[in-house]
Amino acid sequence: MTAAAGPSSLLLVDDDPTFCRVLGLALNRRGFAVVTAHGSAAALEHARIDPPEYAIVDLNLAGDFGLGLIPDLLALDPAIRIVVLTGYASIATAVEAIKLGAVNYLAKPADADQILAALAATAGDPAAPFNARPLSINRLEWEHIQRVLRDNDGNISATARQLGMHRRTLQRKLAKRPARL
Amino acid sequence: MTAAAGPSSLLLVDDDPTFCRVLGLALNRRGFAVVTAHGSAAALEHARIDPPEYAIVDLNLAGDFGLGLIPDLLALDPAIRIVVLTGYASIATAVEAIKLGAVNYLAKPADADQILAALAATAGDPAAPFNARPLSINRLEWEHIQRVLRDNDGNISATARQLGMHRRTLQRKLAKRPARL
DNA sequence: CTAGAAATGCGGCAAATTGTCACGCTTTAA
DNA sequence: TTAAAGCGTGACAATTTGCCGCATTTCTAG
């Protein structure tokens, strides 16, 4: 990675402007020329004009624009290395994404280093270098809770239901960690 | 599938003789010429003598022990349609399996019909089933553990350290999960 | 406007999980 | 061939979770 000759171009597709901006900045700081798009149409438009080297596609709850976007992007340029990122990960969609041509598939939350490693991953190379230290179990749990909580507009009961955990337990977890990241 | 011209040959690779026999019978009843192998070596031997049309590879151990079998089989005959079946399902290994050339990846328990559907699946032509639900806390934790464990080549002590959890606890989690899911 | 439904924030207790230490036994490295 | 690291296991205390109930406070129709 980290091209020695000029910055690599990267197309970031995600509905959420905040997430887009944060991740975009982090990638920028690591030497990528980042372009963001908030939908398939905009993403394809960008790619048509100037096909990027890499693409990060976020599958949010909104329809299936994410998976369908993969072959569309590859049709414009088969060399684009696409990584799928989603908070609603499932094995079924992971398999589908890879079959459609994505080079990797990550479940949120994923930090910039994990994403870079995913972009660099080569097919079936178990000896791939791993540099990023993984999130602790607790941290991972916290991130996930926050994300789902946000999706539910702060509704604790609904969040607990979706997470398969008791409402009381969720309350206690939230109370125990007022602020931290 | 239901092959139109004669029984299709299928290689079933699984350590567990009982599971092998049960599934083998079920597939036989559906018109497949089933050959079973209880290990990579035996599987490759069978495949070398007479490459099957289909193969079902069971990953009984977390990690890439079984995954390595995929390229080996495809090297003998690139036309083999391989489905990976495992009780230790995780997104990380699913992605790896597909990249290595498997046509599908299923989590146990799966019945014969599901497996047949998986064998028949064509690359990216069916509408992707999009699971519009976030992962449960337990599921997310499991996926993460699998990923880190893989990064550490199965080293439980190192994985526990990185995850900020006690080795004993990790062992208990690993021992408990495979039974379910 | 108002009754019923849903959500919230507690307290408490039993059940399950985790942290921790200890011991014997393989691998792996030096 | 030692020394260091890892693995599997048992046991017991410390925490955490599941699950009850209940008093308030929001929604959400009718």
Side-chain angles (χ1 to χ4, degrees), chain B residues 7 28 165 176:
Chain B
N28 214 331
M165 89 197 312
K176 181 178 172 185

Tab-separated table of all heavy atoms in Angstrom, chain B residues 7 28 165 176:
chain	number	residue	atom	x	y	z
B	7	PRO	N	-26.445	-39.579	-12.569
B	7	PRO	CA	-26.186	-39.052	-11.227
B	7	PRO	C	-24.928	-38.205	-11.211
B	7	PRO	O	-23.929	-38.541	-11.832
B	7	PRO	CB	-26.013	-40.325	-10.383
B	7	PRO	CG	-25.574	-41.358	-11.353
B	7	PRO	CD	-26.211	-41.019	-12.656
B	28	ASN	N	-27.676	-38.945	-1.359
B	28	ASN	CA	-27.809	-40.095	-2.224
B	28	ASN	C	-29.253	-40.248	-2.686
B	28	ASN	O	-29.540	-40.479	-3.857
B	28	ASN	CB	-27.383	-41.351	-1.446
B	28	ASN	CG	-26.708	-42.351	-2.362
B	28	ASN	OD1	-27.000	-42.409	-3.543
B	28	ASN	ND2	-25.806	-43.131	-1.810
B	165	MET	N	-9.277	-10.016	27.534
B	165	MET	CA	-10.085	-10.953	28.313
B	165	MET	C	-9.185	-12.079	28.801
B	165	MET	O	-8.112	-12.294	28.257
B	165	MET	CB	-11.247	-11.492	27.488
B	165	MET	CG	-10.949	-12.731	26.686
B	165	MET	SD	-12.184	-13.017	25.383
B	165	MET	CE	-13.701	-12.829	26.279
B	176	LYS	N	-17.831	-23.409	24.286
B	176	LYS	CA	-19.281	-23.405	24.423
B	176	LYS	C	-20.005	-23.162	23.098
B	176	LYS	O	-21.045	-23.734	22.847
B	176	LYS	CB	-19.667	-22.312	25.414
B	176	LYS	CG	-21.132	-22.185	25.684
B	176	LYS	CD	-21.340	-21.109	26.723
B	176	LYS	CE	-22.817	-20.799	26.883
B	176	LYS	NZ	-22.994	-19.673	27.797
